[in-house]
Amino acid sequence: MSTIEDISSRGPRLSKAATEPALVRWALTALAVAFLAVFLIVPLAAVFIEAFDKGVSVYIAAITDPMALAAIRLTLLTAVIAVPVNTVFGVLAAWAITKFDFRGKSVLLALIDLPFSVSPVISGLIFILLFGASGFFGPFLAAHDIKIIFAVPGIVIATLFVTFPFVARELIPLMDAQGSDDEQAALALGAGGFQTFIRVTLPNIKWGLLYGVILCNARAMGEFGAVSVVSGHIRGLTNTVPLHVEILYNEYNFAAAFAVASLLTFLALVTLVAKAIVERKARAAMRAAASRRTSGGPHEH
Amino acid sequence: MASRRSIIPGFNITMGLTLSYLAAMVLLPLAALFVKTTTSTWQEFLQTVTSARVVASYRLSFLAAFAAASINAVFGFLVAWVLVRYNFPGKRIIDGLVDLPFALPTAVAGISLTAVYAPSGLFGKPLAALGIKSAFSPLGVVIALTFISLPFVVRTVQPILQNLEIENEEAAASLGAGRMQTFLRVLLPTVLPAVLTGFALSFARALGEYGSVVFISGNMPMKTEITPLLIMTKLEQFDYPGAAAVAVVMLAASFLILLATNLLQWWGKRRGIWV
């Protein structure tokens, strides 16, 4: 901590009048780092310490247990369905919202964000009310022997709901800022609509799109509350990885619970690294686009 | 409905699919919640949502979310400040880690925080020696909610601080203001809308949180039972009208906070701070 200096090497150049004495800088930095250590770093480390508490063999046994493998399969299946569906939706919604003017746009934006402000438990509850035994479609589903609640379809549907806004809300501000000039040029030159999207729009939005997909996937694999409500916790059948962690924990099988939790933690760390890389690429692409635009140079992709 | 901006094709198909999917996936299910509450009478509804145990859960959820959002307003601002203004070793890793609560499944956060703050845990033990019960008490709920809503204030304040004109601070200094005075009179008013927006987002997220809290709170009715858990309990007892009634109250609260957040953002924009 002795090398804290002012930011003159990077970012805005701060004159002496616009910064604090070294001692204040040092104290504020130490306080901020201590806060993050207590709330982020210690809990993060605790997952791995607890996971290996009973040794490596217990760890391996916990993550290769047939019930754990079944949970991993279900979580992957859920993400493989939910992420592409909501990605396609996100692209369609962003296209409709950013390429055209229409009345009620801000209402539509608010509605797309809605799942973010609904408690996970309520996100599960609404599907019980629709598809549960005494729900609105319950009698119809029972008559046709279709099971949604306490079965895999319910888990997928609840995950679709909670991950609904991720891709759309990354793409909308990005595509709004980029405008439609590139697309208009391509169309004027005779390209078809779909061709324009693939050849012009997609290269422009690829980093934002990837960013949204990463966040969507993290939530799809990690969702707990909504999935917990509709799953019914049937081992080997309707248990996702987070639910499996809960069951092991409630059985006081702590080492196994943390071993399986460490897989999800590893996934979270991979997500953070991927997010950082994509952010850097997106910034670089934006700078390159800006310099192209000001210098009037040719577009290159 | 649309006034086409240009020759760009695809409005009908993209808008049609967007609205259909939105209606089927979000609007219809949420409407089901409100329709369900109409199956009970007004009296039954009021009785459910004002019963002692439910009111105790509102109080805990509201106060704990408020405490967590307040902690994050202060420390989130501090973290954003330090990340934007100072250099120190490991800064980029710290910056990346701030988003951990968004990426880490809430159940994992819950069991991990419980291990750390349990009476035998790393922080739980010294706190217990001081006579402070952290896990399995309302304080545990605040800790979990602080964790899951930690990134909001940092991420709303950080871009505002990055775009600040240093000249304003230099002008204040050259006019004889001390650093503290400059902070209070020049910096704070500029950053305040962003801090409040981050506070509102934290509060809204914390209010609905379930996964991390159920492990650390101990779930004692009237004492450490949050409202989402109470909805879960009613569901497990197949009391669907009761669960729907409490959910409608929670949803109304969330929408009010959402509205407040939008007003705050609008206020910030009007003051020309959002870039």
Side-chain angles (χ1 to χ4, degrees), chain B residues 38-97:
Chain B
T38 61
T39 58
S40 48
T41 67
W42 186 238
Q43 270 80 15
E44 285 169 331
F45 176 83
L46 276 185
Q47 207 160 39
T48 307
V49 302
T50 58
S51 77
R53 188 171 163 190
V54 176
V55 170
S57 83
Y58 297 149
R59 194 182 305 124
L60 175 66
S61 277
F62 192 87
L63 290 178
F66 191 85
S70 305
I71 292 170
N72 280 328
V74 173
F75 283 94
F77 180 61
L78 174 70
V79 169
W81 177 266
V82 166
L83 286 175
V84 171
R85 289 297 176 97
Y86 307 150
N87 275 336
F88 55 94
K91 176 168 138 169
R92 271 172 58 182
I93 293 172
I94 295 270
D95 194 1
L97 264 184

Side-chain angles (χ1 to χ4, degrees), chain A:
Chain A
M1 283 304 129
S2 59
T3 52
I4 296 162
E5 64 217 32
D6 73 65
I7 201 161
S8 51
S9 56
R10 252 197 287 169
R13 200 182 167 78
L14 296 183
S15 64
K16 226 187 172 96
T19 189
E20 293 75 40
L23 190 66
V24 176
R25 289 206 302 267
W26 190 90
L28 290 177
T29 308
L31 190 59
V33 172
F35 172 72
L36 294 178
V38 167
F39 275 99
L40 293 185
I41 298 169
V42 168
L44 180 64
V47 174
F48 293 99
I49 292 168
E50 297 279 335
F52 289 102
D53 192 38
K54 297 259 155 56
V56 177
S57 55
V58 172
Y59 180 89
I60 291 173
I63 60 174
T64 53
D65 177 80
M67 291 303 141
L69 293 177
I72 293 170
R73 263 197 302 277
L74 179 58
T75 289
L76 291 176
L77 173 74
T78 307
V80 159
I81 299 171
V83 175
V85 169
N86 279 335
T87 302
V88 170
F89 158 74
V91 172
L92 290 173
W95 184 272
I97 287 171
T98 61
K99 301 295 179 195
F100 305 96
D101 282 325
F102 54 89
R103 271 194 303 159
K105 193 183 272 198
S106 53
V107 175
L108 183 56
L109 282 171
L111 290 177
I112 287 174
D113 266 351
L114 213 49
F116 276 154
S117 44
V118 175
S119 170
V121 174
I122 299 177
S123 308
L125 165 68
I126 53 180
F127 293 106
I128 298 249
L129 296 179
L130 276 183
F131 303 121
S134 61
F136 293 101
F137 299 121
F140 172 85
L141 293 172
H144 293 79
D145 204 23
I146 305 169
K147 246 184 122 39
I148 292 182
I149 298 304
F150 306 143
V152 174
I155 292 172
V156 173
I157 292 171
T159 306
L160 279 170
F161 179 88
V162 294
T163 59
F164 182 87
F166 280 95
V167 175
R169 78 147 31 187
E170 282 310 319
L171 285 185
I172 289 167
L174 178 68
M175 286 169 67
D176 201 42
Q178 286 175 344
S180 309
D181 295 351
D182 291 0
E183 282 82 3
Q184 283 175 8
L187 290 161
L189 291 171
F194 189 66
Q195 200 183 5
T196 303
F197 171 75
I198 296 289
R199 304 281 289 271
V200 178
T201 311
L202 206 52
N204 280 341
I205 62 168
K206 64 182 173 201
W207 294 118
L209 183 63
L210 193 57
Y211 191 73
V213 167
I214 289 169
L215 295 180
C216 182
N217 180 65
R219 184 69 192 267
M221 291 192 173
E223 176 54 25
F224 178 73
V227 169
S228 176
V229 172
V230 296
S231 130
H233 302 91
I234 309 163
R235 275 192 188 213
L237 284 179
T238 63
N239 245 354
T240 62
V241 179
L243 297 179
H244 189 60
V245 170
E246 183 198 21
I247 288 190
L248 291 171
Y249 189 86
N250 287 342
E251 287 171 346
Y252 300 100
N253 197 347
F254 294 137
F258 278 101
V260 178
S262 76
L263 296 178
L264 291 169
T265 310
F266 184 70
L267 174 77
L269 291 176
V270 170
T271 301
L272 289 184
V273 171
K275 192 169 164 288
I277 293 172
V278 167
E279 260 172 347
R280 198 165 321 139
K281 295 264 186 199
R283 265 200 301 270
M286 217 135 74
R287 268 198 303 273
S291 69
R292 265 204 308 274
R293 236 153 245 162
T294 50
S295 66
H299 283 233
E300 264 178 66
H301 292 298

